[in-house]
Amino acid sequence: MKDTALGLYETFKVAAETHSDKVALCYFDVETTYSQLLDNVDATALAFRQQGIRQGDIVSLALPSLPESLMCFLALNKIGAVPCMIDVRYTPEEFCKIIDRTQSRMLFIMGLYAANIATADERLNVEKVVVCSGADSIPNVSFWFGVGEWFNGRHKVFRKHKKFCHWKDFYNPSQGKDQSEPYHWKPDEMAALFQTSGTTGTVKSVMLTTENIMHSVFPDPPILNDLSSDDTALCILPIFAFFGANTLMLTLFQGMRIVLIPIAPREEFLKLLTQYKPQHVFSVPAYWDFVNAEQDDVQEDFSYLKSVNVAGDILNTAFERRINEYLHQRNYPYDITKAYGMTETAGVIAFTPQGSTHQYEQGFSGKSVKCYKVTTLDDEICVHSEMKFLGYYKNEEATRQLIQTHTDGNPWLHTGDMGYVDDEGNIFVIGRKKRMIVRHDGSKVFPVEIEDCIVRHPSVAACAVVGVTDPEHTESQLPKAFVVLKEKGTNVEELMAHCKSSLPVHLVPSSIEFVEALPLNGNGKVDYQRLEKQDSSQS
């Protein structure tokens, strides 16, 4: 177990000095050593100081997994500032709400989304917006990328909006590195903010301490098999999601070589495995959908793999078995490792140990790690730890619902998952407390957001949204809307256009069906189960 009293930057610096000449990042085959990455982080810290960022300030990062994302995250930790991680897919309105709530002083965003955010320029209460291209860390490519930016018109964003600037205008390593001592973080002090929709569908900012994060980065017992600093890890999950940030730090702090992929389409996953041959890979279930294919011409020898980690949603046991059989037939010596956790707990609560006798039991989600006590209250899984959970930033009511004092006098975090825990600490999850829908890429969809949008259309009298099976990713779901119209005349295309103009792309329903009335149960409430059965009977 590592020293969890050290800050994230300090832990990284120890790894960087220990493995100085080894490759830390492989980004589009451009390699950066640990000593170079440490210099880059220190130069980024100086850039933040030159912008007036100080201890306690909040800076929003709406970036996929880029070298710049990691540099900013660690540099902010060094100077005592707080990164606020934001999903790049959020709407301008959601960006404004998060920035207003956190009073972020700066926003870093991917160039692909800069023009969209510029539409909210007057409401975007930050001092500066720094735009990263994704090619800034690739020599000889960034120039031509800039030329492309000019021809596709994105340069107009910078001419019209004075607070916008390019990454190269913010980060100038020739100006030197920050030479100050790193900030000493207190155990219960907010060190990072990650966004979650929790169980209500409303975006909330989760406050995490350095201690929270370090316990997840160095769980006891270790999650990875046969760990070595000579290993390569394939990191394809976005850093703005805690699972992605956690896996980056877990591998970086161990001195591994990280293959950093900013955007990894599902269909590219197998190609990336065979190209880079990593020892450790972190994924969501959807990346393994190719196992369901009737024909598979790839006979890759997977004996180079040590750990295959799958998290983000509960795996169907039949699908889990197919994945294991696929890997075993190709010489992978272990079973996949499933991890169970949530952003509010800084990730891993439990994981599936190798050789578990519960492996294919329905709902088995793992054995709790040592820093957590797990129990149930009214069949809801609850977690307690000696380290402090801070809850949601500037949302006391939601925090009170999340963290409740039980009869033992201790604070327990309520996960929102229904299930049970056996005498050995094995956790079995049987369903979601709320009507959350999880798409194939791990995106969480809450029906109330879609329902509220559709009901705002003047022709709609009522609406109910349920999760239906995704035909292309059978282990996940898509949102489907059942709509009652006030009067005939409105068509599906019109309502779909209304949704696309008002909702983030992952919340747009996959389909809309008109019904005469919504079914009600004995309590006079909408019977969602009947709608789900109605949809399955028609498929």
Side-chain angles (χ1 to χ4, degrees), residues 42-262:
D42 286 340
T44 306
L46 179 62
F48 277 121
R49 290 194 187 278
Q50 291 173 339
Q51 293 293 325
I53 302 299
R54 297 292 183 265
Q55 184 267 322
D57 287 340
I58 296 175
V59 173
S60 288
L61 306 179
L63 298 170
S65 294
L66 309 173
E68 294 77 20
S69 314
L70 188 58
M71 288 155 56
C72 287
F73 191 93
L74 293 170
L76 290 167
N77 187 264
K78 178 181 183 180
I79 66 177
V82 178
C84 176
M85 313 305 287
I86 302 179
D87 191 327
V88 298
R89 298 167 298 182
Y90 284 163
T91 64
E93 290 71 22
E94 287 171 315
F95 270 93
C96 290
K97 288 179 181 178
I98 294 169
I99 287 170
D100 286 345
R101 178 170 63 240
T102 60
Q103 295 182 306
S104 295
R105 292 189 57 189
M106 298 179 69
L107 168 66
F108 288 71
I109 192 167
M110 189 78 168
L112 294 172
Y113 305 93
N116 188 36
I117 291 300
T119 62
D121 179 54
E122 297 301 321
R123 292 169 289 135
L124 205 57
N125 295 319
V126 292
E127 298 167 16
K128 183 164 289 188
V129 179
V130 180
V131 180
C132 301
S133 71
D136 293 309
S137 294
I138 308 176
N140 304 322
V141 173
S142 56
F143 169 78
W144 293 109
F145 192 92
V147 173
E149 291 282 283
W150 179 271
F151 280 104
N152 68 27
R154 291 197 187 105
H155 67 286
K156 295 178 181 178
V157 171
F158 299 91
R159 289 194 315 190
K160 291 174 61 177
H161 304 277
K162 301 300 183 183
K163 65 176 65 173
F164 281 71
C165 74
H166 285 288
W167 168 261
K168 60 181 175 58
D169 298 319
F170 162 78
Y171 173 78
N172 185 356
S174 66
Q175 293 184 358
K177 301 178 293 182
D178 178 53
Q179 302 293 341
S180 63
E181 289 296 313
Y183 177 74
H184 182 69
W185 291 89
K186 301 178 182 66
D188 59 353
E189 186 177 10
M190 180 181 72
L193 288 164
F194 283 83
Q195 312 311 309
T196 180
S197 295
T199 58
T200 65
T202 302
V203 175
K204 299 184 287 294
S205 299
V206 178
M207 298 182 284
L208 297 179
T209 68
T210 295
E211 186 180 32
N212 295 152
I213 298 171
M214 290 291 282
H215 273 283
S216 185
V217 170
F218 298 109
D220 186 12
I223 291 178
L224 302 184
N225 303 318
D226 193 18
L227 186 69
S228 169
S229 61
D230 293 325
D231 292 343
T232 292
L234 179 62
C235 293
I236 56 179
L237 302 170
I239 192 173
F240 57 73
F242 185 76
F243 185 20
N246 180 43
T247 56
L248 271 175
M249 288 181 284
L250 187 157
T251 49
L252 189 71
F253 294 172
Q254 296 286 357
M256 293 187 200
R257 173 178 176 264
I258 298 172
V259 177
L260 191 63
I261 307 295

Side-chain angles (χ1 to χ4, degrees), residues 393-464:
Y393 189 69
K394 292 186 178 180
N395 194 334
E396 294 182 4
E397 177 57 32
T399 298
R400 281 194 293 270
Q401 294 176 13
L402 175 73
I403 304 169
Q404 302 177 23
T405 301
H406 287 194
T407 54
D408 61 1
N410 291 318
W412 289 80
L413 186 147
H414 287 234
T415 65
D417 290 317
M418 308 301 287
Y420 60 95
V421 184
D422 67 15
D423 293 338
E424 299 175 350
N426 296 302
I427 299 175
F428 296 81
V429 179
I430 59 176
R432 303 290 185 178
K433 189 175 182 180
K434 302 294 183 180
R435 297 185 299 121
M436 184 172 69
I437 300 166
V438 180
R439 299 179 68 116
H440 73 90
D441 60 355
S443 299
K444 296 177 181 178
V445 176
F446 294 88
V448 66
E449 294 180 271
I450 306 172
E451 292 164 355
D452 287 346
C453 171
I454 293 177
V455 169
R456 287 199 299 269
H457 192 282
S459 299
V460 174
C463 172

Side-chain angles (χ1 to χ4, degrees), residues 336-347:
I336 62 171
T337 299
K338 299 185 297 182
Y340 169 69
M342 56 193 300
T343 303
E344 288 84 342
T345 62

Side-chain angles (χ1 to χ4, degrees), residues 289 439-440 468-478:
D289 277 357
R439 299 179 68 116
H440 73 90
V468 298
T469 300
D470 184 341
E472 296 183 3
H473 312 281
T474 55
E475 301 301 319
S476 55
Q477 290 186 312
L478 293 171

